[in-house]
Amino acid sequence: MSETVEMDEARFWRLIEECRPPWPDPDADDLAAALVERLTREPAAVTAGFAETLSRLLWELDRRELGENASSDAFLYTRAAVVAAGEHTYRGVRADPARFAPFADGLVWAESLLYVPDRAWRRVTGEEWQRDTRHCYESYANRAGWELC
């Protein structure tokens, strides 16, 4: 993979906000499409930086108190919906796990957000991306988040 451009969280959240459509986007499909378009105007390393930040944020939400009773796919897609909802919502869920309930109970998913780096990478490089981020965003990968207290 090419060199990764570190993407600080402020830039990541700005991209999310700038690409979020002004209309309801329940599955974040329009957000994902806009993010792909935006990332394809940048070098591939920026896409890799976006992927690193997205993976870390999803990994940080991978905690027992949020996903104990969820299937792995549902938990992953719901965590993606929290990220798609923006920084304020993300930080609220991190601070108070009870704020995750509307996403989990309502099955609010944003699976398409997960594929943004793959699609942007393919369009920029013409190649498949190998998804080699530092943090694994798959459900139950954050061992510290699943330890019993």
Side-chain angles (χ1 to χ4, degrees), residues 3-137:
E3 178 182 327
T4 299
V5 172
E6 290 296 323
M7 180 175 288
D8 65 24
E9 277 192 48
R11 183 173 182 195
F12 177 89
W13 290 121
R14 269 193 316 276
L15 278 171
I16 295 290
E17 292 305 318
E18 291 169 3
C19 292
R20 180 179 292 112
W23 53 82
D25 186 21
D27 295 324
D29 291 340
D30 293 333
L31 170 63
L35 285 165
V36 169
E37 288 301 316
R38 179 70 63 84
L39 290 170
T40 58
R41 291 185 244 150
E42 302 280 349
V46 174
T47 295
F50 177 88
E52 286 289 347
T53 303
L54 176 61
S55 294
R56 182 178 50 78
L57 294 172
L58 292 168
W59 181 83
E60 289 173 353
L61 290 175
D62 184 17
R63 304 182 343 224
R64 178 179 303 280
E65 66 269 24
L66 300 179
E68 189 164 34
N69 298 314
S71 72
S72 63
D73 284 347
F75 185 44
L76 174 57
Y77 304 156
T78 304
R79 287 183 287 132
V82 170
V83 173
E87 182 178 17
H88 178 75
T89 299
Y90 176 85
R91 296 213 183 285
V93 168
R94 288 283 317 268
D96 180 4
R99 292 183 180 181
F100 188 71
F103 292 90
D105 296 344
L107 295 177
V108 180
W109 290 2
E111 179 182 6
S112 58
L113 184 62
L114 304 174
Y115 308 117
V116 166
D118 302 84
R119 291 176 179 147
W121 186 269
R122 189 176 316 112
R123 285 185 51 192
V124 171
T125 68
E127 300 172 358
E128 295 296 316
W129 185 42
Q130 299 305 310
R131 285 182 175 248
D132 53 352
T133 56
R134 287 181 213 123
H135 293 91
C136 177
Y137 63 62

